[in-house]
Amino acid sequence: MQHNAIRTIVIVGGGTAGWMAAAPLAQRLGKRCEIVLVESPEIGTIGVGEATLPTIRFYNNALQLDNADFMKKTQATFKLGIDFQDWGHLGNRFFHGFGDFGPPINGLSPHHHWLHLARAFDKMPALENWSVASRMACENKFTMPANTQPGVTDAFSFGFQFDAGLYAAYLRDYATARGATRIEGMIVGVDQHPETGFVTGLRLRDGRTVEGDLFIDCSGFRGLLIEDTLKAGYEDWSEHLPCNSALAVPCARVEPVTPYTRSTAKGSGWLWRIPLQHRTGNGHVYSNAFTTDEQARRDLLDGLDGAALDEPRQLRFVTGRRKKSWVKNVVAVGLSAGFVEPLESTSISLIETAVGKLIELWPDRDFRPELAAEFNRVMGSRYESVRDFIILHYKLTKRDDTPFWRYCANMKIPDSLAHQIELFRTTGRITILDRDGFAEPSFIAMLMGLGVVPERYDPFADDVDMRQLHGHFAGLRDLIAQTVAKMPGHRAYLERNAKA
Ligand code: FAD
């Protein structure tokens, strides 16, 4: 061990972020570092955050979790993407599936060839027909990707939908079994080094002090260390992402248990529906500048598929991100680092990135500022690319039925997003600004789903013979339909492989 290696890691908070930080640190450092997590049951956790992106599988795999065991203990279902309803206009429906729209043809993304064909054939079916994930979702099917040879059964990906509380508990058991210690207590004070300002310890209400070298702030929206103590500052994005409120309520499970999340646009926001094995999670995300909490509550309860199992719980937030999420010896992870909003379920994936980056840039007790600068650079651009992708959902609406949607359609957007939209609108090209973020097919699904039809396609698409191209698309579509028809139903697959 280096003479100035980190000896004690203190994690503030036992929500999803806290335990997602604790688990891989315990796996790697549990034998040579003291890892302490402090949480206050009195404050509790936010208790939402149940839908994920496919990247969660890399995180789980790195911990060598048993997939079936993890799914059983967290009441998990599979997620192939998101079904969007009423977003582009009332009656608009499309699916953002995980995976692509078929293999490249002559080195070009298939959407260019689809655009080429759509010019020539009036009745060209929607591009979504070539997304395996979309077809599976449409028929409530699920099976694992074959991962053998390139083919239809490989051309999709998936994430999970799980009970957030059970997932945190699952990781807590994992982390504590590998040496992490949990302390229950309310933090009422923070000690700092008088000269450097580094955090040296946390004072608990019962008089105890928890000292450490590195502090990971997973204290939720408040940002107990990163903001209250170190004043990192917050960049407010509510001008572009106006939703600031949510109501969450579970309801009884109804059949079918869909392998996807549903997002339905409402007058001043949108509803989520996340099916788990034992219940369905629901919520209404909205702006209280455009509707009342009472109206939002009625919209939520009216939209439930099953009987409500509780009273709706009110949450408030300000969309944006911490200007710096690593300051001195404090690294903010989770809601303390920022919150874009729940659409597209990106928060847990940002936690995965933050924890992965922290391990990649692991400091010693010198805390070289270059490490913090690199962490802040990477996380800053990850948050901004997620921000742009989410704003796109609102900005491209053609809805003008309420003041909220008129605001969204007319609001100013970041230059980076304006560039992306115009590039696609005029030439069909996608520019990927963040290699760890949403990939080309996701942008295509959203842009075309919301009604943006590019004026041109890549000129090299003209090199492919039109009749051959038509045959290729028709054949692939049939193959996808036949393959999906033979797959087991989502519920049957869960019963057989991951029943809670
Ligand atoms: P929290 O869960 O708030 O945990 C904070 C912890 O800090 C708690 O343990 C608390 O006790 C502790 N704490 C705070 N102050 C003190 C103190 N003084 N002393 C001791 N302990 C303290 N993300 C997704 O990926 N997918 C989704 O579908 C999704 N949906 C969402 C829907 C909504 C409406 C919202 C608001 C968020 C959603 N998120 C989603 C985000 C997701 O919920 C969070 O990223 C995730 O739960 C992590 O939260 P956290 O651990 O940072 O904070």
Side-chain angles (χ1 to χ4, degrees):
M1 187 157 92
Q2 280 175 290
H3 73 284
N4 61 350
I6 300 279
R7 296 158 305 191
T8 307
I9 304 161
V10 180
I11 300 170
V12 178
T16 308
W19 289 112
M20 281 186 78
L25 292 176
Q27 178 192 34
R28 280 163 179 257
L29 299 166
K31 291 209 173 78
R32 49 190 166 105
C33 269
E34 197 186 345
I35 302 172
V36 183
L37 184 145
V38 185
E39 64 176 316
S40 158
E42 209 177 302
I43 295 179
T45 65
I46 192 149
V48 283
E50 311 207 306
T52 65
L53 294 175
T55 51
I56 186 82
R57 284 159 50 211
F58 300 123
Y59 174 88
N60 284 356
N61 288 347
L63 295 180
Q64 298 179 314
L65 300 186
D66 176 300
N67 195 49
D69 185 59
F70 141 75
M71 290 192 73
K72 286 174 195 175
K73 295 205 175 122
T74 61
Q75 299 278 0
T77 57
F78 293 99
K79 176 178 169 189
L80 291 161
I82 304 180
D83 188 42
F84 283 92
Q85 301 196 356
D86 293 338
W87 276 84
H89 54 84
L90 285 168
N92 167 238
R93 203 231 115 245
F94 64 93
F95 196 79
H96 168 200
F98 298 145
D100 56 31
F101 296 98
I105 305 165
N106 264 17
L108 291 185
S109 164
H111 78 282
H112 289 292
H113 300 283
W114 182 91
L115 288 167
H116 185 189
L117 285 174
R119 293 271 163 89
F121 300 96
D122 285 350
K123 298 225 164 74
M124 190 65 189
L127 185 61
E128 203 173 291
N129 284 280
W130 285 273
S131 153
V132 180
S134 302
R135 298 320 305 155
M136 289 166 70
C138 195
E139 297 191 28
N140 282 315
K141 301 282 194 160
F142 190 81
T143 194
M144 286 286 169
N147 287 333
T148 46
Q149 60 200 38
V152 170
T153 46
D154 273 343
F156 66 93
S157 189
F158 65 90
F160 302 106
Q161 303 166 132
F162 52 57
D163 183 313
L166 295 177
Y167 187 58
Y170 193 74
L171 295 180
R172 181 192 63 209
D173 292 348
Y174 179 101
T176 49
R178 287 161 182 77
T181 324
R182 173 178 175 272
I183 296 182
E184 249 185 57
M186 172 80 84
I187 300 161
V188 291
V190 178
D191 293 328
Q192 288 174 272
H193 189 281
E195 277 145 36
T196 63
F198 275 46
V199 172
T200 54
L202 309 174
R203 269 176 280 122
L204 307 190
R205 193 168 55 193
D206 61 12
R208 283 177 293 173
T209 299
V210 183
E211 293 181 341
D213 301 319
L214 169 68
F215 290 80
I216 305 182
D217 184 350
C218 302
S219 63
F221 284 131
R222 180 167 166 204
L224 196 67
L225 303 183
I226 197 74
E227 195 58 53
D228 285 3
T229 307
L230 295 175
K231 314 276 183 257
Y234 196 72
E235 202 174 296
D236 183 333
W237 291 340
S238 34
E239 180 190 2
H240 311 299
L241 293 165
C243 289
N244 60 4
S245 305
L247 284 160
V249 69
C251 77
R253 194 190 80 193
V254 288
E255 296 296 337
V257 177
T258 57
Y260 57 86
T261 296
R262 189 174 70 203
S263 166
T264 309
K266 301 301 287 181
S268 304
W270 59 279
L271 301 179
W272 82 71
R273 176 188 181 277
I274 303 175
L276 310 182
Q277 291 195 38
H278 59 323
R279 59 165 170 80
T280 303
N282 305 275
H284 189 179
V285 178
Y286 60 96
S287 164
N288 68 356
F290 290 91
T291 189
T292 61
D293 294 331
E294 187 42 40
Q295 181 58 46
R297 185 178 181 278
R298 276 198 298 274
D299 287 345
L300 172 63
L301 295 176
D302 289 351
L304 297 183
D305 293 337
L309 299 176
D310 215 334
E311 267 301 300
R313 214 156 44 85
Q314 178 86 68
L315 300 158
R316 301 266 189 234
F317 52 84
V318 179
T319 53
R321 75 169 171 93
R322 209 62 68 193
K323 287 181 181 158
K324 286 183 181 168
S325 49
W326 182 335
V327 179
K328 300 182 191 285
N329 61 337
V330 171
V331 181
V333 175
L335 297 173
S336 62
F339 184 52
V340 181
E341 80 134 275
L343 194 58
E344 295 283 357
S345 342
T346 52
S347 280
I348 291 175
S349 120
L350 289 164
I351 296 173
E352 294 154 22
T353 311
V355 174
K357 266 289 149 205
L358 173 59
I359 291 174
E360 220 175 286
L361 298 170
W362 195 247
D364 55 30
R365 277 180 283 138
D366 285 347
F367 286 98
R368 293 293 316 172
E370 292 80 3
L371 295 171
E374 175 58 9
F375 183 88
N376 290 331
R377 185 190 69 79
V378 172
M379 292 313 296
S381 78
R382 283 288 284 115
Y383 271 89
E384 280 171 19
S385 81
V386 169
R387 173 200 66 190
D388 282 8
F389 189 61
I390 304 301
I391 297 173
L392 177 158
H393 295 53
Y394 290 97
K395 176 67 185 174
L396 290 176
T397 191
K398 291 193 186 66
R399 284 183 67 153
D400 64 357
D401 53 310
T402 63
F404 174 80
W405 288 108
R406 286 195 289 277
Y407 173 84
C408 292
N410 293 311
M411 70 186 169
K412 250 180 50 203
I413 57 172
D415 291 346
S416 44
L417 175 60
H419 167 65
Q420 171 61 94
I421 293 173
E422 280 321 297
L423 184 71
F424 188 75
R425 198 192 298 281
T426 52
T427 73
R429 279 14 179 263
I430 298 291
T431 177
I432 297 296
L433 301 171
D434 173 12
R435 277 181 299 126
D436 294 329
F438 289 98
E440 187 181 54
S442 290
F443 278 93
I444 293 168
M446 288 312 305
L447 286 157
M448 292 185 61
L450 291 167
V452 180
V453 181
E455 290 160 16
R456 291 181 190 75
Y457 51 82
D458 190 312
F460 286 112
D462 285 331
D463 293 348
V464 182
D465 175 75
M466 189 73 127
R467 229 172 318 145
Q468 258 183 335
L469 191 64
H470 193 265
H472 167 83
F473 268 82
L476 185 58
R477 185 173 165 227
D478 289 348
L479 182 62
I480 292 172
Q482 285 156 18
T483 309
V484 171
K486 285 188 210 131
M487 289 178 182
H490 180 223
R491 177 124 206 104
Y493 190 90
L494 285 172
E495 295 273 339
R496 213 172 313 135
N497 300 289
K499 189 169 164 29

